[in-house]
Amino acid sequence: MTKISSTMLSVGTLLRRAEDTGAVVRVLVQGTWLDGRVLGCDGLGAVLDDGNGSQSLVRLDSVVAVTFSRAQMEDPDAARAHGGAANGPIEAGPVTVPPQSRGERTFLSPAPY
């Protein structure tokens, strides 16, 4: 029998896990691979530091693929102090989107006066 799971993995989940552990990742953005440690990751983008003085900001919706060393993510000695060590597979919990109230609209920029 096939096991069905509702776990949803995302680029953001993996990059946040890499940020917590300090693991080096490679991301594919528009045909170009970028390498680095994740300095920060939110719901829209991530900042990668290549260790040579260059940083890149990538939009999560532009990332096609992510590669990483599982050993780096699982090594308790390599984990950052604030992130702690996490063992086991990378998993994401349920994604919850709050419903909008009737007539409610979300604005990305302030309304003009």
Side-chain angles (χ1 to χ4, degrees), residues 54-100:
S54 292
Q55 294 180 348
S56 301
L57 172 64
V58 297
R59 291 180 52 99
L60 297 184
D61 61 356
S62 297
V63 176
V64 177
V66 179
T67 64
F68 63 95
S69 166
R70 186 174 177 114
Q72 277 189 6
M73 285 199 182
E74 292 181 348
D75 182 6
D77 296 329
R80 292 183 181 176
H82 74 276
N87 293 321
I90 298 169
E91 296 182 12
V95 176
T96 305
V97 178
Q100 289 185 336

Side-chain angles (χ1 to χ4, degrees), residues 11-12 15 27-30 34 41-47 56-64 108:
V11 168
L15 293 176
V27 296
L28 180 60
V29 180
Q30 296 184 352
L34 302 172
C41 183
D42 61 14
L44 299 175
V47 177
S56 301
L57 172 64
V58 297
R59 291 180 52 99
L60 297 184
D61 61 356
S62 297
V63 176
V64 177
L108 299 176

